[in-house]
Every structure is written in C-alpha cells, then in structure tokens.
Amino acid sequence: MPLILLLLLPGPVSSRWDLSISIIQHKQPRSLGLPAALLRQRYDQRIGVVCMMKGLTNVEQHLLLPHCVYRAHRVWWVHLGSSLSVFLGGLLVLLLLKSCRLGLNSVGTALPGWRCKRLQKEWAVKVISAQHLSGQILMVIFFCFNTGSFLLYLLETAKPVEYCMKEHDVALLTELAFHIVHLLHFGLRFLAAQDVLQVWVEMKSLVDFFTIPHSFITIFSRRAWLGLRFLRALNVLELPLILQILGLLKSNTSLKLSRLIAILVATLLTSAGFIHLLENSGDPWLEVRNVVPLSYFECIYFLIVTMTSVGYGDVHAYTVLGRLYVTLYIALGLGIFATYVPEVVEIIINRERFSGRYKDVDKLHVVVCGHITLASVSAFMREFFHEDRGEVNIRVLFMGNFCPDQELEAFFNRWFMNVSFYQGSVLKRKDQERVMMHKASACLILCDRYATDQHNEDVTNLMRVISIKQYCPNTRVIVQMLKHNSKAYLQNVPNWEWSRGDDVICLAELKLGFMAQSCLVPGLSTLLTNLFSMQGAVETEDESWRSLYKEGIYKEIYTEYLSSAFTGLSFAQASKLCFLKLNLTLIGIEYQSGKEDFCVLVNPPSHIRIKKKTLGFLIASDAADAHRASFYCSVCHRDIADISRMKPCKCENVTIASSSLLSLSARQPSLGVLTSWKEAESDGYVSELESEDVMLDSTGMFHWCNPIPLDDVSLTRESAFVLPLNQHVVVCLFGDGDSSLLGLGDFMMPLRASSLTTPELKTVVFLGDPNYFRREWHHIQYFPKIYFLPGSPLCTADLRALRVESCAMCVVLSTFSNPKHVESSMQDKEAILSCVNLFHTRFSREATRAQGLSGRRSSYGYPGPRLPEASEPPPSKGTTVPLLVELVNTSNVQFVSNVEELKSSASMTLTQAFAEGSVFCMDLLDSLMAATFFNANVPNLINTLVTGGDTPALEAQLAEDNHLREGTMSLRLSTLRQRSKLAQLPLDDEPLHSLCCITYEDLFVQALDSLEILCFGLYRLLDPPNPSMKRFVITTPPGDLPLEPTDRVFCSVPFHKSHLLVRGRAQIPEPTQQTDEPQGS
C-alpha cells in the first residue's frame, strides 16, 4: 500500500518512504528540497486517493501504519466471529450432551455420576449465593469489575472503533485482567447451575461471550476493536440488588425507584453504544465507507433528544444501520421511557410530599393505618368529623406503605385542614417517630373486610398491634379484626391494656350478631345500626312512614356522667326522668360493683341504684342534647318546659364534664351481668330461678349440649317435611368446600344466649352445601336445636321442605362475593337470586298436620312436642316471608325488594328494604371505629346488646381450644343468666295490651312502672296498600306519637320478667332434637 503512495511522489524512493512514515506518524518531514507545507499538501491528496481505493476514510488512516499486521484491511469480523463461534459452538455441544443424556435415559441407561462434581457444585452454589456472606461479597466485587470494564470502554471511545497497536498499552492489560475475573465469575455460575443450558443463554453469559474473546484476539493480532464492550452497561440492572446487600435500600419505594432508574439508564447506555459503533464503523457493504465520527456522549445526547420528542436535528444518524436501529429504538424505547419516566418522577415527588414528619405538638392527633383505601378512608372521615359530634379539633394522620393514587390524594387534599398522609409502616420505629406515635391520642388499625385470607389479614393487624405496643406502650390502640378467635391473641400482646382504652372490633362477629338478634327481634339490626351510626340531614316527607323513619335515624347513642340529681334513683326512675324532662332515652348505665370492677347494665333491676358519677348510655339527637343529663338540676330545671333554655346552674356541685372523649374503664369479666354474684345474692337479686333443666357452658353465657355428630342432625327432604317446624330460623348458605368460613359460631351465640329461657330458643335449620357446612360444624356442634339440610337455597323444593313460609326469619348468607375481582352489580348475585326465587314462590294454604318424629331426645332430656292438630294457614306468597339478606355492595339493595324506590335515596340506610330490617351490610359497621375512639364504652354496650355474652372468659376459652366446654350448674352460673334481653312485644297482646296506652309516652312510662320493661322503638306497618304486611322501624319515637293497635314494641326485658314474653302467645311448641333422628343424605 505505501508503494502506491510513494510512486506518486517525485524524488528517491527512500526519501518518499521516510516522508510517508513521518507524515502518517504526524512528525515534521525531513527536507527533500520542497517546502514542508507543499509537501504535506501533496501527500494528503495522494493518501486520500489510496484510502478511497481501499474503502477507508480519513479517520481510518491509522490502518496504513507499517506495524499493522493487516494493513489497510478491517478485521472487525474476526472479533465478532470469535464471539459467535464460542457461543454457538458451546450451545451446540450442550444440546448434543442433553440429547445424548435423554436418549440414554430413554433406554434405561444413565450416565455415571461423580461425587467430586456434586461437591464442586455445592461449593460453587455456596460461594456465589446471595444468601451467604461470601456470595454477597463476591457479588459486590464482580459488580465493581463490571463497572470498571464499562469505564475502560468509555475511555476507549475517544479512539477509533478499530485501530492498530504497536505495543500493548496499560488499558489493554487492565481490561484483560478484568475479563479474566469475568471469566472466573462465568465459571462459578456454570458450575453452580442446575440447568447449564439456561445459564449459557442468560443475559450475563451473553455479555461475557461478546466482550471477553475480544481481549484475547487483540493480544495476538494487535488489532483493537471497540466492538460490543458497551454491553457491560447492562450491569446497571444489578445495582438495586447491590444496594440492598449494602443496606442502602430498605423500603419498597426506594427499591422500586432504583429498579426503574436502572432500567432507564441501562437502556440508554446500551443503545448509545450501538449508535456509536454503527455510526463510527459505517455500512460494511459500501465500497466507500460512510463513517461519521460521533463521540459516545453525542450519541447519548442524540437518544435523549429523540426520546423526549424534541428532535433538534443537530445530531442524527447517517448510516443505514444506524437509522434502522434508531427506528427500532423509537418503537421500543419510547414505550419504556413513556412508562418508567412518569413513575420515577411521581415517586420522587411523592417521596418529598409523603416522607415528612408531623411536628404540631400543640394539637391532638390520631394515627390511622392498616387497609387504607378511598372507601375505608371516606367512611371513617364521614363518621369521625360528623356534625353531630360538634367541633372536633383533632388531626388525623393516615399512614400506609404505598403511594396514594389520584383519587385518594384528591380526597386528602379536600380534607387538608384535618388530614395528612405519611408514607411508611407502623412496623418500623422510625416511621412511628415520624407521626409521633408516642404522643398520639390513639392509633386506629383498619382491616380489609373483603380479604380472601381472613386469618392472614388478622395476623397482619396483630403484627401492627405488637409493633405499636413495643415502641409506644402507652398509646391507645383500636384494631379491627375479621375472625372472632383472633381477638383472643390480643390478651397475650405485651402492654395491651383494656383499662387504657385498647379495644378490638370484630366485624364478622358483630355482623352475624346483628343478624342473629334480628331473628329474635325482627328489625333490630336496622334500629341498632341507626343508633351506632350518624346520619346527615335529609328531607322528610309529611304524613308518610318515611318521615317517622327518618326522624328516628337522627338519634345516636352518647355517654354522659349523670348529674347528682340522679344519685339514689333506680334505673326506671332515672330513665323516666330523662325521657320526660330531658327528651332523652336512658337505656343503660356503667355500674361499679367493687373498687375497680365495672360492667355495662342495660335496664338493670330496681334494686340497682344510681351512684355518684355514674356513666349513662343515652339516646339523643346530638351531643349537646345528651350533655344536659350531666348538668340537670332537680331544683333549678324542674319547671323549665323548653329544654333548649336549660343551662348549667351554680346551686350545687353537679358533674358537667362530658365523657364523650376517652372515657375509659376496666375490662369486665362479664357484660350485662353484675360482676359479683355474691353481691347480687345478698341484694336479693337471685330470687326465683326457673326450675328448668338447662345445660350451660363453663362461662355461663350460652346454652350448651354434648357435641353432636353432623350425621345425626342432617335431614332429607322427607325427614324435614315431617318435622314440626314453626317460627323457626332458616339460614340459607352459599359456599363450597373452598370458600372462606363465615364463622357460624358468632351467629349461633346470640340465639343460644343463657339469658333466653328454653321456650325462647328457636330451632335453627341450615340449608347449603354439605362440604362447606362440615367445615363450620365443629364450631357449633355444642349448641342445641340445630338441623342441617344438604341442598341449595335456590331450590324451591328444599325451601318447601323446611316450611320457609312459616319461619320466624329466613337469613341469606354468602361467602362467594369478592368485590376486588367481581363487577359491583355481580357481587351479591347468589343472595339476589335467592331473594328473587323466594319472592316468586307460592306456598300451599293447606294446614300442615303435625307428625311425630321418632328421633334423638332433646339435649335437655325430654322429647320434642308436637304441633296442634291445625294451625293458621301459611302465607301464599314468598314476599310475606320474613327475610334478612347480607349484601356486600350497598347499591344492590335495589334488587332485594320488588317495591324498592331509590329515586332519592343516596344511602342504603334510607331505603325501604333497610327500614324494614330486610337487608344488612358490613359497611354499616364502619362507624364503630370512630364511635369507639370518642366513647370507649361503645364496644361494651354493643357486646351486651348484640353478641349474647362476649366476655374475656369466653375469649380465653376460645383461645385455649376454640371450643365451648360444659359448665357445672351452680349459683354462679345461674346468676350469670340474670341479664336483660332484647325482645319485641305486640301492642295488641299481653302484657302491653292491658296498659291501654294512647301515646308512646304513656307506653314508655307505664311499661317501666308496671312491668320494668324499657321501650326504645316501634315496628309499625307500612302505609297502605301493604299486601305483604311489611313493617318499618321507628327509633325512639317522640312521646306524643299516637300508637296503633298493630304496632310492635322494641324493648329490653329483665330476666326475672321472662314469663311476660310467653304470656298471650299462641302456645305452639317448637321441635326438639331426638336421639334416633333420620340420617341426612
């Protein structure tokens, strides 16, 4: 090649050769008799001609150096071919070995194994595994070597893509050393691999194949090629793992941010390397190369401008291969950048917004954590800052280990004066310090009501409780739970103190308890829900049942310390005083029987007297009305007719401090029962116990029987038809063997409360899948008077066999609904289909003749009675069947009743179906968290009214073996039965008929004076036409409301007045379980 150049120059050949060498090496040429400038100009012209003939550009003139082995020739294909040959050759060998192994195995011949190979594999796994310290150290070291290789590549980009080397420089030797380390890492991975073929084709191996062989080719050929060394930039993807090993990344948000940034950086650096290689190499098929000398950083600038869709045009791709790659990069990279860049920006912004600290030490605050969603947060805030609570100067700090979405963030922005959100976890001490957990008034933990794995959800919340109590032992904690047995574990949590106000709200227990009480007292679930939740102002309709119903939903339960004017009065006297003078309904008190023992008593007997500073449970329209009970003076306020003019007086020292916030008392051994049975006996409270042969559990709270095998209570349609069923409870279950359990023990406990006498125990018949019911049976097998019919609630024949037309209540429960994955309208499809099926079922009017049943004897020892020869004809339409349906989505209430009108009902509580007491939803229990915070006695009152006897003794018993045990009848257990119970009495029957009351005030006063019965609501027929005889609930009616003969009265009846509940009733006995009952199918 130099000979051609020399022939074009005049003068001796030796002089021309020296000149070419000096010019190529950029040295000053020796004088040949010509001016140096002219000589250089002539030489540049000739060398350009030679480069053009060889297809070389001016930037590739270094390939003409005399020390180049392959002068004027590009050998990049040798470097690339070496990499491909290593990869493809090894892949072929591995495939052949695998095929041979499979072939030998197919003929029953296995290759011999070597123990040494197994030991080497175990050693290699231990060395490179991140689970061991040695593996973590090696991962960091290998990452550093990969980073060093990429930095060397950046330095080499200043040189041509391909150039000759006269001698081996330091950069080449350093790179060779790095590649030897990479080769060692590849060997360790290959030895530790379970599948060597998979390791051979993984990304790390491909990077090694296309980078390591270049160094060895360069050593022997002295021809360097920049090649694919930029692939070492993919090592950036390992950065998040390395930062985790070093302990620099601890949160999920930081880990996600680092991964997103690593993907973006790796994509950008790798693509810039491709552009740099293609543009500086030119298109290989052209005779005259179109090489464009772009630097690596110019390529990065070009890609960033392209991805941001700015496109200045100052730098662009010239080669065909470069433009083709840019086209593919735009198609793929644009999606990556458009997806990841906004996420990175959002995380960075949100880290600044939600990673702060709460610093306002002068204002009370509460921390809310757990399941934070728009639905749960909006329901909580609606109850927490309800206008009826007055001015609530408390800041709510929500904490969740996630970044809120746009809807949730917009909600927080609307409540910015009262709400702050902090991203973090209460499981970490530093996050608790950020929200000043140790100074918080309380920490409220919300649960996911629709969790598929309820046990896991409860355990997660238990971990939050343990973490809070460990770091902040004096902080009050209120936690939501799903399963009843999860409550027992809280007793073992360190620093958990009921006396501090720590409490638990079991949603499944309360939901089933509300529905079970409605089986005994129809409409009670609606009445209690209205009392424990707060409603906003709505328009009333004159002269309509809706106006009476809406007046009642404004009433809520408040607690106040009763003034000294109540001291010494009996409960009946105090309740009449509140009703007549203060327009309040006193339904219960917190009674102190010892120095530290408190219990909640609803309608206690007359021998209980109001003590000084007794806490009363009052039904009032708002907190201001209830507060009058705390400063009422019998002297100053006796003659005040307008209670709005009643103000605190100064004539005596009355208690005016409200107990609406953090009124705490010790956890009680029993609810609704005197804590000391000896005291009750000495006061003459235990007077005449009914001489009935009953069996109670060891806690004295429930009727009990020996555990019964499921087959003994299983029915067929034929055996169910001959059962003398009347005024029984039919429970329709939708579930299968894989469904989550409802916890039917919580449903049966109120129905088998020991405060109920034997005639009051209603027979309960379950209808559903036997695979599901068998899983529930061991929780309810010790409750008497239970039957099970395998079948389907959608089968009309099964419903007819159970005489659903003559039942006291038909309850529909489902375990299939999952609102996270199902369309909202389809969440309650099973329950809705069951209602529609029942509504359109017609039943025969023929009276059913009672037939004897030769079966197992009653658990109380006497055979089941028979029905009379004739009874009242049952209804002819399914719409008259008393129905109570559980709904997941409140909007689906429109499908439950065929007469529902939702034109102006924005809330489920304002619908006709809810006013009737026909539907119930767990969403209605959201208000209990806020109510418990402001009034720590609310859970005790709810347990007294609803659960039938949920006590710490019961929780300890269930925590020990999750079963009720038989109790030995004693005076103590008999005393525990002596608690009031909720009932519903007809106004046109005894014992209320003899009172001859005109208005509700007359009924309230006379029932207390004559019968010791506390009235707190009415169950009245809807306005005509009402062919189905549906009723609606009136919560604590006004005193001047006229009564109707068909009204039924919600009331609390003391245990010693239980005989009043059967007076005047049609004496139709109920069936009892027999010993030789027909076996179920």
Side-chain angles (χ1 to χ4, degrees), residues 770-781:
N771 295 325
Y772 172 80
F773 191 74
R774 188 173 292 107
R775 297 163 56 205
E776 291 269 16
W777 177 246
H778 70 280
H779 296 293
I780 60 176
Q781 60 182 345

Side-chain angles (χ1 to χ4, degrees), residues 661-897:
L661 182 60
L662 304 184
S663 172
L664 309 180
S665 61
R667 179 68 168 176
Q668 308 310 319
S670 62
L671 301 175
V673 186
L674 291 177
T675 57
S676 174
W677 63 272
K678 293 182 179 179
E679 175 186 348
E681 181 183 10
S682 63
D683 290 341
Y685 180 56
V686 181
S687 54
E688 295 182 0
L689 296 176
E690 294 189 11
S691 59
E692 57 179 356
D693 184 15
V694 297
M695 297 174 62
L696 303 181
D697 72 304
S698 58
T699 64
M701 293 290 106
F702 305 102
H703 289 267
W704 188 90
C705 69
N706 293 316
I708 310 169
L710 178 59
D711 292 339
D712 291 352
V713 297
S714 297
L715 305 172
T716 62
R717 291 179 185 173
E718 293 75 15
S719 60
F721 184 76
V722 298
L723 273 176
L725 297 175
N726 189 60
Q727 292 300 302
H728 55 293
V729 177
V730 178
V731 183
C732 300
L733 298 175
F734 287 96
D736 52 30
D738 298 327
S739 302
S740 59
L741 298 181
L742 290 169
L744 295 180
D746 297 329
F747 180 80
M748 289 303 304
M749 285 180 182
L751 296 176
R752 296 298 178 260
S754 60
S755 59
L756 300 174
T757 59
T758 303
E760 296 175 81
L761 298 181
K762 293 183 180 295
T763 300
V764 181
V765 186
F766 291 93
L767 172 63
D769 188 347
N771 295 325
Y772 172 80
F773 191 74
R774 188 173 292 107
R775 297 163 56 205
E776 291 269 16
W777 177 246
H778 70 280
H779 296 293
I780 60 176
Q781 60 182 345
Y782 34 72
F783 291 123
K785 304 179 71 171
I786 298 178
Y787 293 94
F788 172 65
L789 175 62
S792 172
L794 299 178
C795 180
T796 305
D798 292 338
L799 296 176
R800 294 182 188 276
L802 296 180
R803 290 192 181 87
V804 69
E805 70 276 8
S806 61
C807 69
M809 185 64 66
C810 179
V811 181
V812 180
L813 301 174
S814 177
T815 63
F816 288 137
S817 299
N818 190 347
K820 293 181 179 179
H821 306 93
V822 181
E823 184 183 355
S824 59
S825 299
M826 301 297 292
Q827 292 165 4
D828 302 297
K829 56 181 180 298
E830 292 86 8
I832 295 173
L833 287 175
S834 177
C835 295
V836 173
N837 178 60
L838 183 61
F839 291 156
H840 293 81
T841 301
R842 293 185 174 273
F843 300 96
S844 173
R845 288 185 175 273
E846 296 180 1
T848 303
R849 181 181 180 86
Q851 301 184 22
L853 178 63
S854 59
R856 184 171 61 85
R857 298 186 65 83
S858 170
S859 50
Y860 292 138
Y862 54 86
R866 302 167 181 260
L867 283 174
E869 291 297 324
S871 60
E872 293 294 329
S876 60
K877 294 183 179 180
T879 54
T880 59
V881 175
L883 186 66
L884 180 57
V885 184
E886 177 199 2
L887 297 179
V888 174
N889 192 325
T890 56
S891 63
N892 288 332
V893 67
Q894 58 183 319
F895 302 110
V896 173
S897 176

Side-chain angles (χ1 to χ4, degrees), residues 976-1019:
L976 291 175
R977 300 187 65 190
Q978 313 297 309
R979 58 188 191 272
S980 299
K981 49 195 168 185
L982 302 181
Q984 190 177 96
L985 298 176
L987 198 60
D988 57 353
D989 200 354
E990 297 298 336
L992 299 182
H993 179 70
S994 59
L995 299 180
C996 301
C997 301
I998 304 300
T999 63
Y1000 180 75
E1001 179 179 318
D1002 298 336
L1003 174 65
F1004 185 89
V1005 174
Q1006 295 187 40
L1008 276 176
D1009 290 339
S1010 304
L1011 306 173
E1012 299 183 39
I1013 293 178
L1014 174 65
C1015 304
F1016 53 88
L1018 296 177
Y1019 202 38

Side-chain angles (χ1 to χ4, degrees), residues 30 89 105 131 187 262 350 369 389 399 410 428 463 594 687 750 885 987 1018:
R30 292 191 301 240
N105 292 337
Q131 298 179 357
N350 291 337
C369 60
R389 300 193 190 278
M399 172 164 280
K428 300 179 181 178
M463 287 298 300
S687 54
V885 184
L987 198 60
L1018 296 177

Side-chain angles (χ1 to χ4, degrees), residues 4 81 105 120 124 360 433 510 539 680 735 737 791 824 873 876 910 929 968-969 973 1019 1075:
I4 301 177
N105 292 337
Q120 290 177 355
D360 191 357
E433 294 175 351
L510 293 179
E539 297 181 359
S824 59
S876 60
L910 300 179
M929 287 295 285
T968 302
M969 289 305 300
L973 290 187
Y1019 202 38
T1075 55

Side-chain angles (χ1 to χ4, degrees), residues 417-702:
M417 293 295 294
N418 306 99
V419 171
S420 297
F421 179 81
Y422 295 88
Q423 188 171 358
S425 173
V426 293
L427 299 177
K428 300 179 181 178
R429 184 169 187 173
K430 64 176 184 178
D431 290 335
Q432 293 188 23
E433 294 175 351
R434 288 170 50 208
V435 294
M436 300 179 65
M437 184 72 74
H438 61 287
K439 294 186 177 180
S441 300
C443 178
L444 286 70
I445 304 176
L446 306 179
C447 72
D448 183 5
R449 299 192 302 267
Y450 310 112
T452 304
D453 190 348
Q454 297 183 357
H455 175 73
N456 181 67
E457 179 68 16
D458 286 348
V459 170
T460 302
N461 284 337
L462 282 171
M463 287 298 300
R464 294 188 175 104
V465 174
I466 293 173
S467 176
I468 295 170
K469 285 300 182 180
Q470 181 179 3
Y471 298 132
C472 307
N474 296 322
T475 299
R476 182 187 178 199
V477 176
I478 305 173
V479 57
Q480 282 183 345
M481 292 288 183
L482 292 175
K483 302 180 68 176
H484 186 191
N485 54 4
S486 300
K487 296 169 55 177
Y489 300 116
L490 291 171
Q491 299 184 14
N492 301 324
V493 174
N495 302 312
W496 178 272
E497 293 290 342
W498 303 104
S499 59
R500 188 184 292 114
D502 297 336
D503 220 318
V504 56
I505 297 176
C506 183
L507 296 180
E509 175 192 18
L510 293 179
K511 176 195 72 175
L512 295 176
F514 272 75
M515 300 182 74
Q517 288 288 0
S518 293
C519 297
L520 301 173
V521 184
L524 185 63
S525 60
T526 295
L527 187 143
L528 293 181
T529 301
N530 290 337
L531 288 179
F532 287 105
S533 62
M534 293 189 171
Q535 302 290 336
V538 294
E539 297 181 359
T540 59
E541 303 177 12
D542 296 335
E543 299 181 359
S544 170
W545 68 267
R546 294 184 182 272
S547 61
L548 292 175
Y549 170 73
K550 291 179 180 179
E551 288 180 8
I553 66 175
Y554 297 144
K555 306 294 181 65
E556 295 94 23
I557 290 183
Y558 299 90
T559 56
E560 292 289 341
Y561 287 107
L562 301 179
S563 68
S564 56
F566 294 87
T567 304
L569 299 179
S570 66
F571 178 83
Q573 294 171 336
S575 185
K576 286 193 301 180
L577 178 60
C578 289
F579 187 83
L580 298 176
K581 291 292 185 180
L582 305 177
N583 196 21
L584 305 173
T585 302
L586 179 66
I587 63 171
I589 59 174
E590 183 186 67
Y591 184 74
Q592 183 177 6
S593 58
K595 293 183 179 180
E596 298 181 355
D597 294 333
F598 291 83
C599 65
V600 176
L601 299 179
V602 176
N603 189 22
S606 58
H607 76 278
I608 299 295
R609 297 291 173 172
I610 305 296
K611 299 180 180 180
K612 188 176 182 180
K613 292 186 179 180
T614 294
L615 191 68
F617 294 89
L618 302 159
I619 300 178
S621 298
D622 53 41
D625 291 345
H627 187 54
R628 297 189 182 101
S630 65
F631 60 78
Y632 174 77
C633 176
S634 58
V635 177
C636 302
H637 301 147
R638 180 190 308 171
D639 299 328
I640 296 180
D642 186 4
I643 59 176
S644 62
R645 298 172 50 195
M646 191 177 296
K647 304 297 180 182
C649 64
K650 301 180 180 179
C651 64
E652 59 178 337
N653 185 20
V654 296
T655 303
I656 62 175
S658 174
S659 64
S660 60
L661 182 60
L662 304 184
S663 172
L664 309 180
S665 61
R667 179 68 168 176
Q668 308 310 319
S670 62
L671 301 175
V673 186
L674 291 177
T675 57
S676 174
W677 63 272
K678 293 182 179 179
E679 175 186 348
E681 181 183 10
S682 63
D683 290 341
Y685 180 56
V686 181
S687 54
E688 295 182 0
L689 296 176
E690 294 189 11
S691 59
E692 57 179 356
D693 184 15
V694 297
M695 297 174 62
L696 303 181
D697 72 304
S698 58
T699 64
M701 293 290 106
F702 305 102

Side-chain angles (χ1 to χ4, degrees), residues 82-317:
S82 64
S83 298
L84 291 175
S85 61
V86 172
F87 170 67
L88 296 177
L91 182 62
L92 180 61
V93 171
L94 293 177
L95 290 175
L96 290 176
L97 290 176
K98 189 173 183 180
S99 300
C100 293
R101 187 179 293 108
L102 293 176
L104 293 176
N105 292 337
S106 63
V107 297
T109 303
L111 291 175
W114 292 276
R115 183 173 181 271
C116 180
K117 182 179 179 182
R118 184 174 65 255
L119 295 177
Q120 290 177 355
K121 185 174 184 178
E122 294 176 355
W123 172 81
V125 170
K126 184 176 181 180
V127 167
I128 67 173
S129 175
Q131 298 179 357
H132 301 86
L133 180 61
S134 60
Q136 295 177 358
I137 295 175
L138 284 179
M139 289 187 67
V140 176
I141 292 175
F142 291 142
F143 178 82
C144 295
F145 275 97
N146 275 286
T147 305
S149 296
F150 183 72
L151 293 178
L152 286 176
Y153 164 77
L154 293 181
L155 295 176
E156 292 293 322
T157 55
K159 300 178 182 180
V161 173
E162 184 179 352
Y163 63 93
C164 298
M165 301 181 64
K166 187 174 183 179
E167 58 184 11
H168 301 150
D169 55 5
V170 178
L172 175 63
L173 297 178
T174 304
E175 182 185 6
L176 181 62
F178 283 178
H179 285 174
I180 292 175
V181 176
H182 299 328
L183 190 60
L184 175 63
H185 187 204
F186 171 79
L188 291 175
R189 297 199 314 270
F190 192 82
L191 286 177
Q194 298 290 337
D195 186 358
V196 293
L197 189 61
Q198 182 178 357
V199 173
W200 193 265
V201 297
E202 68 179 5
M203 186 189 69
K204 292 181 181 179
S205 301
L206 293 177
V207 172
D208 291 336
F209 292 145
F210 288 97
T211 55
I212 294 178
H214 298 175
S215 299
F216 297 97
I217 298 297
T218 302
I219 291 294
F220 292 104
S221 66
R222 294 192 179 184
R223 181 68 68 87
W225 184 52
L226 200 58
L228 303 178
R229 291 163 57 186
F230 57 83
L231 292 177
R232 290 292 172 187
L234 295 174
N235 182 58
V236 178
L237 298 175
E238 300 291 329
L239 182 60
L241 179 59
I242 300 301
L243 294 178
Q244 274 190 309
I245 293 176
L246 298 177
L248 301 179
L249 293 182
K250 297 181 180 180
S251 64
N252 293 333
T253 304
S254 301
L255 180 60
K256 181 180 179 180
L257 177 62
S258 63
R259 286 177 177 173
L260 293 175
I261 294 178
I263 293 175
L264 293 175
V265 173
T267 304
L268 180 63
L269 296 180
T270 306
S271 299
F274 268 111
I275 295 296
H276 178 268
L277 176 64
L278 297 176
E279 291 297 311
N280 285 273
S281 299
D283 296 322
W285 58 82
L286 298 179
E287 294 183 1
V288 179
R289 302 296 175 86
N290 51 347
V291 176
V292 180
L294 290 180
S295 67
Y296 184 78
F297 294 100
E298 287 178 332
C299 295
I300 293 178
Y301 165 76
F302 164 66
L303 292 179
I304 292 177
V305 170
T306 302
M307 283 300 95
T308 55
S309 66
V310 176
Y312 286 123
D314 52 345
V315 179
H316 60 276

